Structures are given as structure tokens and as C-alpha cells.
Amino acid sequence: MERATELYDRYLRGDNGALEQLVIGYGDSLIGYAYCFLHDFSAAEDVMEDTFATLIVKRKRFEARSPFEAYLFRIARNKCLDLLRKRRREASLSGAREFAACVDVEGDAVKAVRDQKVYKAMLSLPQDYRTVLYLTYYQGFTADEVRKSLGKNKKQIYNLTARAKAALKEILIKEGIGYEDV
């Protein structure tokens, strides 16, 4: 696939097919990323759509200080945080308790039971841990790309990754899953 930055530049010059290629190339990844925050597949799909809508509406020139993918995931992260804040406000106004939807999003992407358990274990981690693991292992981001996406320094990312891996290992051992097989 053509580089995301080049596709976005083509889109800005009027090639709507380039935007379609971006959606095809990154849509599912953005949904998976948003699900890590929201635990709601429908809301994660909405975040993916809102992320691309932001690209359409703002039509902002991309400054290549970081990879375009990091920029795209940063937009999605901000959309997730906005939605979580909105949910919290609505819950406090109505007095309702928010509950987590039990949705099996793995489907075709993760078929093996072991992989489902690893994914579930990862979802039980604190948000920062989930995010750094998701970007690193599911999206293949480098430490520098994760750093730029999360707005942290390199040492913070390395420390966060080490703590996230240790926490995941502890959960997997408790679940009886061999960590070395992951």
C-alpha cells in the first residue's frame, strides 16, 4: 500500500480515491484501537468514522514531524477520550452506572483461544498499558512512533512498555497461559 502521507496529500489535492484507500488501510486498525479505550464495538466504529470525518472537514495539511499513522491514531485517541468524558458526564447527570459491553470483537482477526485470552488479559490492564501494548504489538509502531502518538518522552515509553509487559505476564500466569508462548 502506498504510504499514508502520500495518500493524504493526494486526497488534499482532490483525489477522493486516496481517502478511500486510507479508510480501507486503517479503518479496522482504528476500530481495534478505539475498542481498547471504549470496550464497545459500535462506539469504536463511530470513532473510526469520526476520525476520518475530521480529516475531511479540517483538511489540514499534515506536517511530517511524526508519521501520518501516529497523527491518525492521535485523532482517534482524542475522539475516544472525548466520548469517555461525555459518557462520564451523562452518567453523573442521570445517576446511571456505566457498564461494559461484552462484545467479542476478535471474530476473524483472533481465532485461537489463547489469543482471545491474551487479548482479554490485555483489556484488563490500565489504559496506558493497553494503549502502549496495542500500538506496539498490534499496530507495529516503533517506540518513537508510540512516543509521538502518546505525547510522552522515549524513557516514559520504554518504562511504560516494560511495566505493561510485566503486568500482562502476571495476568497470563494467573490465567494459566504460558507467557513465553505469546
Side-chain angles (χ1 to χ4, degrees), residues 14 17 24 33 40 43 46-47 61-62 70 89 99 113 122 127 131 144 153 180:
I24 290 168
Y33 179 67
D40 180 342
D46 291 344
V47 164
R61 285 265 171 230
F62 175 68
R89 278 193 308 270
F99 62 94
V113 172
M122 194 176 91
Q127 183 63 52
T131 302
D144 198 48
N153 67 44
E180 54 282 339

Side-chain angles (χ1 to χ4, degrees), residues 47-150:
V47 164
M48 181 271 298
E49 292 169 0
D50 288 347
T51 299
F52 286 108
T54 297
L55 292 180
I56 293 168
V57 171
K58 294 204 175 180
R59 296 184 70 88
K60 179 180 171 186
R61 285 265 171 230
F62 175 68
E63 313 237 345
R65 289 177 289 185
S66 62
F68 181 78
E69 292 86 347
Y71 172 67
L72 194 61
F73 279 85
R74 192 171 324 124
I75 293 170
R77 179 177 177 267
N78 290 338
K79 298 284 180 192
C80 288
L81 294 175
D82 290 345
L83 183 58
L84 289 171
R85 280 191 284 274
K86 180 182 175 189
R87 283 180 179 175
R88 203 173 348 188
R89 278 193 308 270
E90 288 173 355
S92 67
L93 290 175
S94 67
R97 298 185 84 182
E98 186 176 272
F99 62 94
C102 295
V103 179
D104 180 17
V105 297
E106 289 88 69
D108 294 332
V110 182
K111 296 219 184 264
V113 172
R114 180 186 59 88
D115 290 343
Q116 290 175 350
K117 288 181 180 178
V118 169
Y119 191 76
K120 270 188 171 176
M122 194 176 91
L123 290 176
S124 70
L125 294 172
Q127 183 63 52
D128 283 349
Y129 290 4
R130 282 195 311 264
T131 302
V132 75
L133 290 176
Y134 183 83
L135 290 175
T136 302
Y137 295 106
Y138 284 83
Q139 293 304 314
F141 277 30
T142 65
D144 198 48
E145 291 169 331
V146 173
R147 176 189 69 77
K148 290 175 183 172
S149 181
L150 298 179

